[in-house]
Each structure stands twice: as structure tokens, then as C-alpha cells.
Amino acid sequence: MCYFPSLVMQQVARRGIHFMRRLHGANIPEDMIVEGQNRVIDASLTLIREKAKLKGELVRALGGAKATSALLGVPLGHNSSFLQGPAFAPPRIREAMWCGSTNATTEGGKEIDNPRVLTDVGDLPVQEIRDCGVDDDRLMNIISQSVKLVMEEEPLRPMVLGGDHSISYPIVRAVSEKLGGPIDILHLDAHPDIYHEFEGNKYSHASSFARIMEGGYARRLLQVGIRSINSEGREQGKKFGVEQYEMRTFSKDRHYLENLKLGEGVKGVYVSIDVDCLDPAFAPGVSHFEPGGLSFRDVLNILHNLQGDIVAADVVEFNPQRDTVDGMTAMVAAKLVRELSAIMSK
């Protein structure tokens, strides 16, 4: 029963795809279908654009800021190779952020209820777009467009809530293109997500960083917390010059990783946090249990001590359908978002 919502989501997506196939089979004009898809896409992006514009105006009216973190939900789960529950994560993360069991102050002393620190532009309606028969090539472009719309409104910087890890590719692409050059990436994960393709899917959550590196969107890619990596993961890492820090050597690497300096000579730093970088003892609500991971304090130490201008970030792969009854992993993901948002804001 716990996976019923995921099954419903898959069925809805399949209905949309099958419906579009039936339209094609009935000789419905292609331009009619495309025109309808375009209307849905335009409406979806208009909502993000107008919310970002409003939130940017409010921040500027309140005195402005150098950088304000802006939550953007991308509830996509169909590129997961195992469970699709991450599609349900953005509202659960928001709920945990504002549930009242803790105050609004981050460990560094910033108040996330201050709109100059953190604001919210809502969710891209991924399932509604897919229900119209939009394929992943177009969907990835739509995600990139939504990120650029947020970045167009000074001083907003995207703090993206996943969703599975496939979303990092279109986000990083958008950030790099918008800023006009490559960035440095700090990627915390149990897996390198650098397969050329996984199960025939070039947009798999296990392939996102291969697409990023192929596109030249990153100068440096540091992967931390790795403990499930095969020969292809290592070969791809060498091919792209990735700096892979495995958990088996973390005690030796700790000092370096807790004193990182990134982004010099490029357009900034992107941080991508897969919740399964944490040991399952700290975050059981993930699709892939990989024991032997980072502690929550390990992750915070790395983030708090990072020297660099964070221009965008994501927190992905939280699966509410595997969380504890009291929502422990939701709170963990929420605190990651809170702390990262505070670090990014200026």
C-alpha cells in the first residue's frame, strides 16, 4: 500500500502517453497536438515567471539583497531507476520547513522567514506537462527555462527542490548558460550518477552528471560521500576529470573536504545534495539504502565551511513514501534546504 501514490503517478503519465498515441492513430493533426502542448507549457512557465517577478519586486521593495534564495519545486520522479516517490517530495519538504516544531533561525543566525533571505516561487507542474504527451527532451528544456526565469529576477537564486537527480542536468545547464560560462559543482551523494546511459535512458537520475560534463557546464566536479560505484562510474570519472571522494577514505579526506574553496576563475559554485549521501540511520526516506554514509553533521560541516559564491543549488531524492511515520527524513531534507538557503543568501 505504501507505494500506491507512485503507482497512480505512473498510471497517470502512461494514460497521457497512451492518449496522445491514440490521437496520432486517429489521424488528429500534429499541429493541433503541438499547439495544445505549447499552451500548457506557456501557462506553466508564465506562472513561474510571474511569481518570480513578484517575489523579486518584494525583495527589492524591502531594501534588496545581494542574493536571495528562491525555492523552486521540480516534482519529477519518472527518471528514477527504482522508485518514483521523489516526485512527491517538494510539498513534504515545505511542510517540514514551516511545521512549527522548530524556529526560523538557521545555525548561522539567519532568519528564513525573512523574504530577503528566502522566498518561494512554487512548483513547475511536471506531471501536468507530461500528461499532455510532452517528451523528456522538451521537458528538460522546460526545466531549464523555469530556472532561467528565476535567475532573471534580481537578486533571486534558485534553491531547487527535487524530484529525482535527473533534474540537476537541466538546472546546471540553465545556470551555466545564464551566467555565461562553466561553474564548479559540489555533489554530495552515495552514487556518482555518471553512467553514460542507464537502462537505455540518457536522462536517468543515474546519468545526470555525464550530461553535465559532456556539455562543458562544469569546470570542476567534486563528488563526496560515494560508496556505491562500479567500474563504469570510475572510468567515467577519469574520463571527465571528476574528483571522487569515497566514504572508505573519508577519515583521511575529511580535513580537505571541510575546508573547500571553489568557484575562483569561474561563474560560481553549484551545490547538489542527494539525501542518500547521508547514512540511512539519519535519512531512511530515500529510494536507495546505502549504509556507511555521511552523518548529518559531516554534511553541515562541509557546507558551513565551504568558501565560494553559491549561485544555485538542489536537494533531491528524498522519497516521502519510504520515510518514517513521523517524517524524520522530511525534517532532515528541510534542514538541508534551510541551511543551504541561508548560506546562499547575502
Side-chain angles (χ1 to χ4, degrees):
M1 287 295 290
C2 64
Y3 301 120
F4 178 69
S6 185
L7 292 174
V8 170
M9 181 179 70
Q10 293 176 52
Q11 291 165 2
V12 168
R14 289 194 189 105
R15 276 203 303 272
I17 293 168
H18 293 162
F19 176 68
M20 300 309 295
R21 286 175 179 167
R22 283 198 299 273
L23 290 181
H24 286 299
N27 295 319
I28 302 298
E30 179 72 20
D31 58 351
M32 180 186 296
I33 296 171
V34 172
E35 183 180 344
Q37 291 174 339
N38 288 341
R39 288 198 301 270
V40 173
I41 292 167
D42 289 345
S44 302
L45 291 174
T46 296
L47 181 60
I48 299 297
R49 178 188 298 110
E50 294 305 318
K51 290 193 73 172
K53 184 177 181 180
L54 172 61
K55 298 303 177 73
E57 289 171 344
L58 290 173
V59 170
R60 294 190 293 272
L62 290 169
K66 183 177 180 182
T68 298
S69 299
L71 299 183
L72 170 65
V74 182
L76 184 156
H78 66 275
N79 283 322
S80 175
S81 60
F82 183 41
L83 302 174
Q84 299 189 3
F88 301 103
R92 300 286 78 79
I93 295 173
R94 287 189 180 92
E95 181 182 28
M97 288 179 69
W98 306 110
C99 73
S101 71
T102 185
N103 59 47
T105 308
T106 65
E107 292 194 4
K110 290 185 180 179
E111 306 285 339
I112 63 165
D113 58 359
N114 179 348
R116 297 168 67 189
V117 174
L118 177 66
T119 191
D120 195 336
V121 301
D123 291 352
L124 182 70
V126 171
Q127 292 309 315
E128 288 80 358
I129 294 169
R130 293 188 70 224
D131 189 45
C132 297
V134 173
D135 63 22
D136 264 9
D137 287 329
R138 292 186 74 191
L139 181 58
M140 293 295 147
N141 289 333
I142 294 164
I143 295 170
S144 290
Q145 286 177 267
S146 69
V147 171
K148 289 179 180 179
L149 289 173
V150 174
M151 296 179 70
E152 285 175 4
E153 292 298 327
E154 291 289 345
L156 305 188
R157 295 187 177 187
M159 175 66 252
V160 184
L161 311 179
D164 69 43
H165 223 149
S166 66
I167 69 172
S168 293
Y169 163 56
I171 299 168
V172 169
R173 179 177 65 183
V175 172
S176 175
E177 289 177 349
K178 191 68 178 173
L179 296 179
I183 53 181
D184 286 347
I185 301 177
L186 173 60
H187 169 206
L188 292 92
D189 201 327
H191 317 88
D193 293 350
I194 203 165
Y195 284 99
H196 176 65
E197 290 183 356
F198 192 75
E199 297 178 341
N201 181 6
K202 67 179 179 180
Y203 295 125
S204 168
H205 69 158
S207 301
S208 49
F209 288 90
R211 302 289 83 79
I212 288 168
M213 299 309 287
E214 287 171 353
Y217 303 118
R219 178 188 65 175
R220 293 179 67 187
L221 170 58
L222 286 76
Q223 299 186 318
V224 180
I226 304 298
R227 56 196 186 278
S228 178
I229 181 172
N230 61 13
S231 58
E232 181 177 353
R234 291 193 173 91
E235 288 165 6
Q236 286 279 89
K238 291 178 182 177
K239 173 184 175 182
F240 293 119
V242 180
E243 300 165 55
Q244 295 176 329
Y245 296 92
E246 299 184 38
M247 284 306 301
R248 61 194 177 91
T249 61
F250 182 71
S251 59
K252 175 175 67 71
D253 300 328
R254 178 190 294 273
H255 179 74
Y256 173 72
L257 295 173
E258 290 183 352
N259 293 277
L260 290 172
K261 190 172 185 178
L262 300 174
E264 288 188 336
V266 289
K267 299 298 181 177
V269 180
Y270 185 91
V271 177
S272 180
I273 302 179
D274 185 322
V275 177
D276 74 19
C277 72
L278 294 162
D279 191 275
F282 298 93
V286 295
S287 298
H288 301 269
F289 298 146
E290 291 292 346
L294 296 163
S295 73
F296 192 81
R297 186 52 55 185
D298 291 334
V299 173
L300 286 192
N301 286 344
I302 291 169
L303 295 178
H304 287 160
N305 295 325
L306 172 63
Q307 298 179 60
D309 183 22
I310 302 176
V311 292
D314 66 56
V315 172
V316 298
E317 295 287 355
F318 162 46
N319 184 346
Q321 296 172 342
R322 298 197 104 184
D323 204 1
T324 58
V325 174
D326 56 359
M328 182 175 77
T329 313
M331 292 300 295
V332 167
K335 180 151 184 175
L336 289 172
V337 172
R338 288 161 53 104
E339 294 296 319
L340 192 47
S341 296
I343 295 167
M344 187 158 56
S345 68
K346 297 176 183 177

